[in-house]
Amino acid sequence: MAVDKIPSGTALRMQFQTGVDGDGDPIYRTKSLSNVKTEAQDQDIFDVAQALVQLQEYPLVAVQRVDSAILEEV
Amino acid sequence: MAATQTLQMTFVTQAGTRTTISLDNPRDDLTEAEVVSAMDEIIAKNIFNTSGGDLVSKHSAQIVDRTVSVLYGGQA
């Protein structure tokens, strides 16, 4: 039985470092924007993340692309 | 008292509805030109899908201040 993979959603997640805790370990905070087109190009998502990062005060740790998909038997 | 700031960028969609992208902790020295430029970039890259379709133009941008005053309880 074959299985089809159907893209169901994409999110842009930006991880920021907002400070350090009492032990000197970094404190992270993430900002997620969920209504990204599944067909969006990686470069375009990255560019939008860069544009947004410049508007706020914390250093960026990572830009993540989170793709979801539904698996269906065909 | 704890104060937080949020930058809210509002766009107009293909259907003429509005949609807002918000970002916490905007820089204190943020200029109008920087926000306008970022909003233009978001429209140009066109990666977002809304119920009203693509984002087609800028509507407005504002910084919202929120202050929380604890009356009882609070941090341990």
Side-chain angles (χ1 to χ4, degrees):
Chain A
M1 200 83 78
V3 167
D4 252 3
K5 181 175 176 177
I6 304 154
S8 61
T10 297
L12 160 60
R13 202 153 68 185
M14 290 168 284
Q15 191 178 28
F16 303 104
Q17 184 180 341
T18 58
V20 289
D21 66 17
D23 300 326
D25 294 324
I27 300 168
Y28 297 118
R29 181 166 174 176
T30 57
K31 166 69 182 174
S32 205
L33 294 169
S34 58
N35 48 349
V36 174
K37 295 176 180 176
T38 52
E39 70 273 20
Q41 299 296 307
D42 291 344
Q43 180 73 57
D44 290 339
I45 294 178
F46 185 81
D47 290 346
V48 167
Q50 291 298 327
L52 288 171
V53 163
Q54 287 163 23
L55 302 179
Q56 56 82 55
E57 59 188 342
Y58 296 120
L60 180 72
V61 177
V63 178
Q64 297 163 332
R65 176 186 181 132
V66 185
D67 286 315
S68 312
I70 292 168
L71 298 180
E72 252 180 20
E73 269 185 349
V74 287
Chain B
M1 283 204 306
T4 55
Q5 286 195 320
T6 305
L7 168 66
Q8 297 182 339
M9 293 172 283
T10 304
F11 298 87
V12 181
T13 66
Q14 277 174 321
T17 57
R18 287 172 196 170
T19 188
T20 300
I21 292 176
S22 41
L23 195 64
D24 289 338
N25 307 107
R27 285 191 359 251
D28 289 337
D29 56 352
L30 202 56
T31 65
E32 178 184 339
E34 285 176 307
V35 176
V36 165
S37 152
M39 290 178 79
D40 283 336
E41 175 87 349
I42 287 165
I43 291 169
K45 299 299 178 184
N46 193 26
I47 65 166
F48 294 111
N49 216 349
T50 73
S51 53
D54 293 346
L55 306 181
V56 292
S57 63
K58 302 186 289 293
H59 177 265
S60 59
Q62 54 190 357
I63 289 174
V64 177
D65 273 292
R66 179 169 171 270
T67 307
V68 177
S69 305
V70 177
L71 296 177
Y72 172 78
Q75 287 167 0

